[in-house]
Amino acid sequence: MAIDHDRLFKELLQTFFEEFVLLFFPDMHEHIDFNHLSFLSEELFTDVTAGEKYHVDLLVETKFKGKDGLIIVHVENQAYVQSSFPERMFLYFSRLFEKYRTPIIPIAVFSYDAIRDEPSLFTLSFPFGDVLDFRFFHVELRKQNWRQFIRTDNPVAAALLSKMGYTESERVELKKQFLRMLVRLELDEARQRLLMGFFETYVKLSDEEEQQLRSEVEQMETKEKERVLELIISYEQKGKIQGRKEGREEGRKEGAEQEKRHIAKRMLMKGFDAQTIHELTGLPVTEIEEMKQSGFK
């Protein structure tokens, strides 16, 4: 199943928007009033020339501290390399400004695994002069050294360790430090589950790595060890419960499909045509025709 990167990042940043700005843009954080946050509905833009539709990932309406008038913060998660991305950011900016007629703060989060020098400006110039020099704020997650963030008590930092610059040999240590951060944060269960789900979407340890993790956790100081082990066990149990639920649901679906096939066979025996059986059972016509050809077996 494909990962919905934009949905995951949107949920994370909506829940911890102030923490995100504080983590990566502390100067910006000093000026924004986070007591007046409002998340706007998703914007849809159509690229007429390319025939493609784009959704703006996250729009936040707020204001500057001590000032009247609203501002819009536009955050765009980019999960794949796209050479025309700076141009797209400019188009988003111009269309948002045209609609809201208020200052727009554009931010891009580059979350793909490639390490490259991603431009953060879009220019339009001629030999006789410059016309446009559009810049946007950005953070390239893969270039971040994850070890520099493990001492912060920031939930966004904890989740985004999974997208930072770690090596394969550091995966166990990465998750161990993530769990330690999660324990220190003392979040409610819903937010804790959000961070755990985000992290494990991108860093899924093998059984052997999980065993190594358990062994290393056992070497921690007693109090911290107990809390981290409790966290691990809790999510293992929830995972088993969820797995059983999914298994039961899969069983119900399979049972329903078997019942449809049984009804289809009885209808074939009574002389119903394939199209009528399809309309009544929802089974594909091709499958019904195959039943017919095989003698309803």
Side-chain angles (χ1 to χ4, degrees):
M1 182 182 295
I3 298 174
D4 189 345
H5 302 283
D6 292 341
R7 181 191 62 79
L8 285 170
F9 273 82
K10 183 176 182 178
E11 187 176 5
L12 176 68
L13 299 189
Q14 275 190 333
T15 306
F16 301 106
F17 180 70
E18 181 176 0
E19 290 85 349
F20 163 73
V21 176
L22 177 61
L23 182 66
F24 293 116
F25 308 102
D27 292 340
M28 185 189 302
H29 181 271
E30 287 297 312
H31 294 276
I32 293 179
D33 184 348
F34 291 93
N35 294 316
H36 295 83
L37 292 182
S38 175
F39 294 96
L40 303 180
S41 59
E42 188 177 68
E43 295 283 352
L44 175 65
F45 296 129
T46 302
D47 186 335
V48 178
T49 57
E52 297 178 347
K53 293 181 178 180
Y54 298 102
H55 293 274
V56 170
D57 286 345
L58 186 65
L59 285 180
V60 185
E61 185 179 72
T62 182
K63 58 193 298 185
F64 288 125
K65 291 179 180 177
K67 294 185 179 180
D68 294 329
L70 298 174
I71 59 172
I72 302 289
V73 182
H74 165 216
V75 183
E76 194 71 14
N77 172 56
Q78 185 65 5
Y80 59 94
V81 175
Q82 182 186 37
S83 59
S84 62
F85 181 75
E87 178 181 348
R88 182 150 64 92
M89 283 294 287
F90 168 69
L91 292 175
Y92 285 170
F93 175 87
S94 59
R95 291 176 184 179
L96 289 170
F97 183 77
E98 180 182 29
K99 177 175 180 178
Y100 293 100
R101 295 291 174 170
T102 194
I104 310 293
I105 301 175
I107 302 174
V109 180
F110 296 104
S111 61
Y112 48 72
D113 292 335
I115 298 178
R116 49 180 269 138
D117 293 325
E118 192 65 53
S120 59
L121 72 159
F122 175 68
T123 60
L124 185 59
S125 61
F126 300 97
F128 44 83
D130 297 333
V131 174
L132 177 67
D133 187 10
F134 169 74
R135 299 174 182 272
F136 52 91
F137 299 94
H138 74 294
V139 56
E140 296 174 77
L141 292 177
R142 198 63 178 171
K143 287 186 177 180
Q144 307 297 316
N145 184 338
W146 65 275
R147 292 183 182 275
Q148 294 179 358
F149 294 87
I150 59 177
R151 301 299 178 192
T152 65
D153 291 330
N154 188 307
V156 175
L160 292 182
L161 289 182
S162 61
K163 297 299 293 179
M164 293 182 184
Y166 61 88
T167 64
E168 285 296 305
S169 63
E170 293 177 316
R171 283 160 49 87
V172 173
E173 181 66 18
L174 183 79
K175 184 168 182 179
K176 183 174 72 174
Q177 296 301 334
F178 164 74
L179 293 171
R180 296 178 72 183
M181 292 177 73
L182 209 54
V183 165
R184 289 201 311 270
L185 286 167
E186 298 184 338
L187 300 171
D188 59 75
E189 185 178 353
R191 295 189 175 198
Q192 192 179 80
R193 188 166 58 246
L194 168 62
L195 298 185
M196 181 69 84
F198 187 100
F199 183 91
E200 293 204 330
T201 296
Y202 296 108
V203 182
K204 191 69 175 177
L205 299 187
S206 65
D207 291 343
E208 183 179 348
E209 288 173 323
E210 287 288 357
Q211 290 177 3
Q212 181 184 342
L213 174 64
R214 283 285 193 109
S215 176
E216 293 188 12
V217 170
E218 290 285 355
Q219 306 303 314
M220 292 181 181
E221 294 182 5
T222 303
K223 186 175 181 180
E224 184 180 34
K225 176 181 71 176
E226 290 175 353
R227 296 180 67 189
V228 172
L229 283 175
E230 182 181 341
L231 191 61
I232 293 174
I233 293 169
S234 172
Y235 277 90
E236 283 181 349
Q237 291 174 340
K238 289 173 183 176
K240 290 176 182 178
I241 293 172
Q242 183 63 28
R244 287 197 292 269
K245 287 182 179 178
E246 291 174 356
R248 287 196 295 269
E249 181 62 25
E250 188 64 29
R252 283 195 290 269
K253 289 181 180 178
E254 181 60 28
E257 289 299 311
Q258 290 290 354
E259 180 63 20
K260 288 180 182 179
R261 295 187 187 99
H262 180 66
I263 293 171
K265 290 175 184 178
R266 292 174 60 187
M267 293 179 73
L268 283 169
M269 293 174 65
K270 291 180 179 294
F272 284 86
D273 62 89
Q275 184 60 37
T276 300
I277 296 173
H278 161 70
E279 292 174 357
L280 293 174
T281 65
L283 290 174
V285 173
T286 54
E287 184 177 349
I288 297 167
E289 292 288 358
E290 288 174 1
M291 287 183 193
K292 187 175 181 180
Q293 292 173 8
S294 63
F296 315 153
K297 295 179 181 179

